[in-house]
Amino acid sequence: MARDSSATKARLLDAAFSEFAKHGIAGARIDRIAENAQANKRLIYVYYGNKEQLFDAVLQRALETGSESVPFDVDDLPGYAGAIFDHLVERPSLMRLVLWKQLERPGNTDTEAASYQGKIAAVRQAQDAGRIDAGMDAADVLTLVVALSQAWFGAVGGPAAGGTAPGSTAAGGAGSDWAPDRLARHRAAVMEAVRRITAPHGDGS
């Protein structure tokens, strides 16, 4: 029975991820989520409460998956940026989910805040040790690294508009195909930009 419950929860979260990424919280429909998950609608309320709490569960799982897939390495911020880029390539709908979250549920969860503060502290320590340029506040450094990694995905016609990467198994909707060489150029540009921003003074040119 527990195994069946876990499988049902996973299907519900997968269906909810797709629904929220496409329609946001206000536009999402519990009936569609239940239908796509092949589950009884009542179970959504039993397992997750209301629609907003279901969204929080979907976002939490996405954050946990991201933390596992993209470990933070303060001594290789260009590599970290490239890993974020790769993660979004494999999950083009994720950026849409993030954008809906910013619009409809601004602010950070306790988990997000703790993770963010931990990364800022690590950047600040690396700056103090001379491994990262100290000319910018640590929080701004981290913000730029993440923003550069995500920038293309939120562009007009990019994956946040519904595009999917070639070979991706993630749901994403319609959009122009991503040529591998274009992906490689964007990834390299992101990593080079991060390298220039974070390199200790005298090493960024």
Side-chain angles (χ1 to χ4, degrees):
M1 183 66 68
R3 184 180 304 171
D4 292 341
S5 173
S6 296
T8 301
K9 288 180 179 180
R11 292 199 310 273
L12 286 170
L13 289 176
D14 287 341
F17 179 97
S18 179
E19 180 74 6
F20 286 129
K22 290 178 182 176
H23 304 289
I25 301 174
R29 295 292 176 264
I30 292 295
D31 288 340
R32 281 197 299 255
I33 294 172
E35 180 181 357
N36 291 331
Q38 298 181 329
N40 189 310
K41 180 173 70 173
R42 181 181 64 85
L43 292 176
I44 293 176
Y45 300 103
V46 171
Y47 293 146
Y48 301 108
N50 59 34
K51 188 166 62 171
E52 288 74 18
Q53 290 170 314
L54 175 60
F55 180 86
D56 290 342
V58 168
L59 183 65
Q60 180 63 31
R61 189 176 71 157
L63 291 173
E64 291 172 353
T65 300
S67 295
E68 293 172 0
S69 301
V70 189
F72 181 69
D73 184 355
V74 72
D75 290 317
D76 185 14
L77 290 180
Y80 176 64
I84 294 175
F85 187 94
D86 293 341
H87 186 69
L88 291 173
V89 166
E90 291 300 318
R91 298 160 182 81
S93 293
L94 178 57
M95 197 64 213
R96 285 177 60 89
L97 188 76
V98 171
L99 292 173
W100 281 118
K101 192 267 182 186
Q102 292 172 345
L103 286 170
E104 297 185 289
R105 288 178 77 79
N108 295 321
T109 65
D110 291 342
T111 301
E112 289 176 292
S115 175
Y116 189 65
Q117 291 302 321
K119 291 181 177 68
I120 290 175
V123 170
R124 188 173 292 116
Q125 288 179 346
Q127 288 177 316
D128 292 342
R131 303 196 306 275
I132 293 177
D133 184 72
M136 190 181 301
D137 185 84
D140 294 337
V141 171
L142 182 61
T143 297
L144 276 174
V145 170
V146 174
L148 285 166
S149 306
Q150 297 177 344
W152 187 49
F153 296 88
V156 175
T164 56
S168 172
T169 58
S176 58
D177 290 338
W178 302 5
D181 60 336
R182 186 183 181 197
L183 278 175
R185 288 196 303 272
H186 278 281
R187 188 182 192 278
V190 167
M191 293 181 66
E192 176 61 16
V194 171
R195 186 190 71 78
R196 287 177 176 272
I197 288 171
T198 61
H201 185 69
D203 296 335
S205 60

